[in-house]
Amino acid sequence: MRAVTIQEFGDPSGMVVSNLPTPVPEPGQVVIENEAIGVGGVDAVIRRGTLGDWGFSTGLVPGSEVAGTVTAVGAGVDGSWVGRRVWAFTGTSGGYVEQAVARVDDAVELPAGLSATDAVTLGSSAPVAHFALAHAHLAPGESVLVRGAAGSIGIAAVELAVRGGASAVAVTTSSAERGDRLRELGATHVLDRSGGGGSAAPAAYDVIVDIVGGAGTPEFIDRLAPNGRMIAVGAIAGMPPADFGGRLLAAFQQSRTFGTLSLDSVPAPALAAVRAEQLAAAARGELHAVVHDVLPLDQAAEAHRQMDAGTVFGRIVLVP
Ligand SMILES: NC(=O)c1ccc[n+]([C@@H]2O[C@H](COP(=O)([O-])OP(=O)(O)OC[C@H]3O[C@@H](n4cnc5c(N)ncnc54)[C@H](OP(=O)(O)O)[C@@H]3O)[C@@H](O)[C@H]2O)c1
């Protein structure tokens, strides 16, 4: 089968179209004939190799979420899965392939009326946003800032914060046009990447969902209101300065909190339940999948070039 593999970490050109054997499911696994493959921000982070050695080696198939039809099941998996349309997390077995393999525990059936393209736009992103806001104990009437809101996690965080009754939902983004689109999705204030602009925006926030990290982290810690909570879900701009915790201690009397949220630490039944509910909400039109572009699998490198150029709003989806 056709697959995309990383032959060299760094530039997108290091990803090449390859031929791999058709997967055979191991016990507990399903094989999925892909209809759509999500191109996640994390795929670009891994491909760039900017976060150091994650233990990946060349030959790796990038991509961690797919949607399509189950064609085969491994030992111990109910045969009734065959023929069902599912979203699935493929983890390190990779998603940029014609036929993906996933643990059946990481697959969820698609609700009627939801496209595979929309499923891979929301399947990981929306749960990250949900559990970040839950980890922050967002309460109705509190203010929220989503830092790095133009990606699929940030867009979901905006919509979910609005649904959660936030009094204000500010976003950071690098372009006015993206700001307008984020307003359409519920953002009340649009800031630039450094948190500037948005003259009527709150001076401080009860909750900050941070997808960016990097050198700007301490300045955003300073924007937490008393008892405010910042939850880091990504580090697109790299790790924060090593001494960023000093900013929290310097504002000791403000009782601020910094935390992280990874889906890896969410109990599997809770994750599956939230994901199924979110995909159903998307099928009902209550949650929006923002698809930037749909490209053939062979153009995975082009998808990553667009990610590196910062021109993607929402998510790029690959189709085999
Ligand atoms: N916590 C979890 O369980 C989990 C799961 C999956 C992924 N992730 C993480 O989530 C991140 C990807 O999320 P995503 O796909 O939503 O994001 P994304 O699409 O990669 O980026 C979101 C936005 O951030 C802004 N941005 C990019 N680089 C920036 C920089 N250097 N400084 C400031 N802003 C920058 C860009 O918007 P503007 O140009 O408009 O500013 C971009 O559109 C990765 O770090 C990944 O590891 C976490």
Side-chain angles (χ1 to χ4, degrees), residues 41-42 45 128 148 150-154 173-174 178 193 211-212 233-237 261-263 312 315:
V42 69
V45 171
V128 172
S152 49
I153 293 176
T173 181
S174 61
R178 289 168 173 216
R193 279 188 175 187
I211 300 149
V212 177
V233 298
I236 309 165
L261 183 283
S262 167
L263 288 187
V312 179
R315 175 154 289 205

Side-chain angles (χ1 to χ4, degrees), residues 16-310:
V16 299
V17 180
S18 313
N19 237 317
L20 292 183
T22 303
V24 176
E26 292 182 4
Q29 292 183 330
V30 294
V31 172
I32 299 155
E33 184 78 32
N34 285 342
E35 285 176 51
I37 302 152
V39 179
V42 69
D43 307 350
V45 171
I46 291 170
R47 188 218 78 231
R48 289 177 200 131
T50 45
L51 280 190
D53 182 7
W54 284 10
F56 297 127
S57 39
T58 51
L60 168 91
V61 176
S64 62
E65 64 181 307
V66 303
T69 302
V70 175
T71 55
V73 298
V77 179
D78 191 330
S80 70
W81 278 93
V82 175
R84 289 198 219 169
R85 290 180 73 237
V86 298
W87 173 95
F89 174 71
T90 58
T92 48
S93 60
Y96 293 13
V97 288
E98 288 179 299
Q99 283 116 26
V101 67
R103 294 185 328 146
V104 69
D105 293 347
D106 291 328
V108 54
E109 193 163 1
L110 294 188
L114 187 71
S115 70
T117 303
D118 285 1
V120 297
T121 301
L122 293 169
S124 279
S125 306
V128 172
H130 168 92
F131 286 105
L133 293 171
H135 205 48
H137 301 289
L138 172 66
E142 290 193 316
S143 56
V144 176
L145 169 63
V146 182
R147 183 172 176 232
S152 49
I153 293 176
I155 289 169
V158 169
E159 284 207 297
L160 294 177
V162 172
R163 283 174 71 183
S167 58
V169 181
V171 293
T172 70
T173 181
S174 61
S175 96
E177 191 249 336
R178 289 168 173 216
D180 288 344
R181 295 189 66 185
L182 288 161
R183 279 185 202 278
E184 286 165 17
L185 291 159
T188 54
H189 303 282
V190 176
L191 311 177
D192 63 30
R193 279 188 175 187
S194 65
S199 53
Y205 296 88
D206 299 304
V207 171
I208 298 178
V209 176
D210 187 10
I211 300 149
V212 177
T217 303
E219 281 71 32
F220 282 88
I221 285 176
D222 283 348
R223 285 169 179 258
L224 286 171
N227 302 306
R229 294 86 66 196
M230 176 189 275
I231 304 296
V233 298
I236 309 165
M239 288 298 177
D243 61 349
F244 79 97
R247 262 331 216 268
L248 283 167
L249 281 168
F252 193 86
Q253 286 79 5
Q254 304 281 315
S255 307
R256 294 166 171 165
T257 300
F258 177 91
T260 60
L261 183 283
S262 167
L263 288 187
D264 290 352
S265 67
V266 175
L271 178 55
V274 165
R275 180 172 284 136
E277 193 282 320
Q278 291 180 323
L279 295 182
R284 293 192 300 269
E286 294 166 11
L287 200 57
H288 297 98
V290 177
V291 179
H292 179 80
D293 203 357
V294 179
L295 295 173
L297 174 62
D298 295 5
Q299 290 184 28
E302 170 57 21
H304 277 235
R305 268 180 215 108
Q306 292 187 32
M307 304 256 293
D308 287 4

